[in-house]
Amino acid sequence: PTIGPAVFLIAGQSNSVGWVAHDGGSIHPANVYQWSRAGGASGASGEGLLAASVGGARTRLDHHDADNAGWAGLDIALSEALVSAYPGRDIVFVPCGKGGTGFDDGGASYDGQDVWNVGETLATEAIARANACMAALSGATFEGIIWHQGERNGASGTGAAEYAGYVAALIASFRASITGASAAPVIAGEMLAEYVEDRGAGG
């Protein structure tokens, strides 16, 4: 039988989105797609398709931060590794990152919408988008969560133990609420220690 696509959620702040100009090097392999904000996994216009055959790979996924389309994120290198790890399968990313976001610990100045706390807007939207993707793609399996966030909470003084609790609760919510994600592995990005020290971020 034909094996359906492998679906991965990408969430977090600007590090999950990608905030550097694409260097003209590697691009997404031809069988790597995204679940676009238009609500589709592919299209002749390239709206959801990340392949050089449709006018050049999109070097930045359709996260909340849709500007700077010529910029690049972690998804290019990740897609190359996933294509190797899942031979013969399409890879579909569900991009949900948003720059400058974090967990609201009551001490930082958030606008009430840009927080990843369980039940709040960003977390709820990520679950809904992942489930829409899973429902639409025949034979799809949910294979993992990529989480890259922490700069905002580190800079605002959220303690390490408190931050770990926020992340654990969010991942538990993702696993409980996204179709097929009950045992999904999590890949968590990390800030360079030198950068954190330079910023004075202790969380």
Side-chain angles (χ1 to χ4, degrees), residues 17 35 42 50 55 60 77 80 84 108 112 124 130 140 144 155 168 175 179-180 183 194:
V17 176
W35 184 255
S42 63
L50 299 178
R60 186 147 120 175
E80 293 172 338
S84 177
T124 300
R175 285 175 168 159
T179 302
E194 294 84 355

Side-chain angles (χ1 to χ4, degrees), residues 27 29 106:
I27 60 174

Side-chain angles (χ1 to χ4, degrees), residues 26-196:
S26 297
I27 60 174
H28 299 91
N31 59 325
V32 175
Y33 302 81
Q34 69 170 325
W35 184 255
S36 75
R37 293 192 172 272
S42 63
S45 67
E47 172 62 35
L49 183 62
L50 299 178
S53 61
V54 290
R58 291 188 55 169
T59 52
R60 186 147 120 175
L61 298 179
D62 200 1
H63 290 277
H64 283 278
D65 302 307
D67 56 339
N68 298 325
W71 289 25
L74 55 81
D75 45 274
I76 295 178
L78 177 63
S79 67
E80 293 172 338
L82 292 176
V83 165
S84 177
Y86 292 83
R89 297 186 68 181
D90 290 334
I91 305 297
V92 180
F93 292 129
V94 180
C96 293
K98 187 171 186 180
T101 59
F103 295 96
D104 188 355
D105 60 4
S109 178
Y110 290 91
D111 66 10
Q113 300 296 313
D114 294 347
V115 293
W116 284 101
N117 301 65
V118 173
E120 294 295 337
T121 305
L122 294 177
T124 300
E125 190 234 36
I127 291 168
R129 280 174 48 73
N131 280 332
C133 178
M134 291 295 294
L137 303 182
S138 177
T141 59
F142 189 88
E143 296 291 339
I145 300 163
I146 293 86
W147 174 254
H148 203 334
Q149 189 277 330
E151 179 185 358
R152 180 161 189 174
N153 283 100
S156 67
T158 303
E162 184 180 13
Y163 179 77
Y166 287 133
V167 174
L170 179 65
I171 297 305
S173 178
F174 283 162
R175 285 175 168 159
S177 304
I178 296 172
T179 302
S182 60
V186 178
I187 300 173
E190 183 178 30
M191 300 297 294
L192 289 172
E194 294 84 355
Y195 178 83
V196 175

